[in-house]
Amino acid sequence: MSAPRFFVDGPVTAGATIALRSDDAHHASHVLRMRADAPIVVVAAGVAWDAVMATADCKTAHILRPSPDSGGDIGIDVTVLQALIKGAKFDDVVEKCVELGASRIVPMRCERSESDASAHKVDRWRRIARAAAQQSRRNIVPAVDDVRSFAEAVSAIGVPLLVASERAPKGSLADALRAHAGSTALAIAVGPEGSFSDAELAAAKNAGAEFVSLGPAILRTETAAAALLAAIASARVW
């Protein structure tokens, strides 16, 4: 069983004693029931370190050495452009995308989106991303951007973009993944419950996006990004 993983800010060196965030200390002490000398992994600036809890209250940790734990990253930076979803479904999208290897999540306001998002919601999604990154042994905490319009998100992406569309031909996802096998970064876009509008699809095409099919079934919007990420991860050489 892997040691619990905690992200910290600032530089870390072997032999140092560093402070954990108060919420992490509370979780370690009261939920995980950890005590002094319990082994953990501390991640700072994308680097994992073997460490032990320095105190019984789990507020500090003692750094031992660089960790051989390679973490749960998939070897490619994947940005997820996800249309806003009503209710708490976006929480699940963030959690599952982080678990499956996303590097960045961009909430999008689309023509057929049935909800918007306050700053409070975005802050919650960032907390969810951090917790999911620790749970899934990531070496980074994926960024969750402020909400953008579809046009803003697509125009600013700067890497090959795969847009999930029921109109795309059979086999298009496999073809796209083969074409981008050597890429270091990709973006994927998933529309709202009513799908992307014709105008949005046209804008994506003009921006150079490729349209990919996720199979014969019509997936819920909260399922599609996870399906795309799983396909990307499985296509990588481990």
Side-chain angles (χ1 to χ4, degrees):
M1 182 176 178
S2 299
R5 204 172 192 87
F6 300 97
F7 290 94
V8 299
D9 299 322
V12 167
T13 57
T17 298
I18 53 96
L20 297 182
R21 286 170 50 124
S22 59
D23 53 344
D24 286 338
H26 182 273
H27 181 75
S29 177
H30 296 279
V31 179
L32 301 180
R33 303 291 183 185
M34 303 184 79
R35 294 294 180 262
D37 295 324
I40 62 172
V41 173
V42 168
V43 182
V47 178
W49 298 80
D50 286 333
V52 293
M53 289 298 184
T55 53
D57 59 11
C58 300
K59 291 183 177 180
T60 57
H62 182 68
I63 306 298
L64 300 177
R65 65 189 71 87
S67 178
D69 184 344
S70 59
D73 296 304
I74 62 175
I76 181 172
D77 289 337
V78 182
T79 296
V80 177
L81 310 181
Q82 172 68 54
L84 293 171
I85 315 169
K86 62 184 178 182
K89 293 178 182 178
F90 207 99
D91 294 9
D92 296 331
V93 171
V94 171
E95 181 179 72
K96 300 312 174 190
C97 285
V98 171
E99 289 178 7
L100 288 163
S103 300
R104 176 183 165 209
I105 299 168
V106 182
M108 293 188 301
R109 188 184 304 105
C110 297
E111 287 185 31
R112 296 172 180 164
S113 295
E114 297 184 19
S115 65
D116 208 331
S118 64
H120 174 74
K121 281 187 178 180
V122 175
D123 286 343
R124 183 174 76 242
W125 295 334
R126 289 170 178 156
R127 292 193 298 271
I128 291 170
R130 188 175 184 278
Q134 291 188 165
Q135 184 275 327
S136 53
R137 298 173 51 248
R138 301 289 304 276
N139 282 338
I140 64 164
V141 178
V144 179
D145 287 13
D146 292 333
V147 177
R148 298 186 179 189
S149 70
F150 175 85
E152 290 171 331
V154 170
S155 64
I157 201 60
V159 298
L161 173 61
L162 309 182
V163 176
S165 173
E166 63 272 19
R167 303 181 190 180
K170 179 181 178 181
S172 53
L173 176 56
D175 291 341
L177 293 181
R178 281 192 292 269
H180 296 290
S183 297
T184 58
L186 285 174
I188 60 177
V190 175
E193 292 174 341
S195 192
F196 290 120
S197 69
D198 289 343
E200 287 168 338
L201 291 174
K205 184 177 181 179
N206 289 338
E210 302 169 54
F211 299 103
V212 296
S213 169
L214 302 183
I218 301 299
L219 303 182
R220 291 184 180 275
T221 183
E222 64 268 29
T223 305
L228 271 167
L229 278 165
I232 292 169
S234 68
R236 307 302 291 179
V237 176
W238 298 98

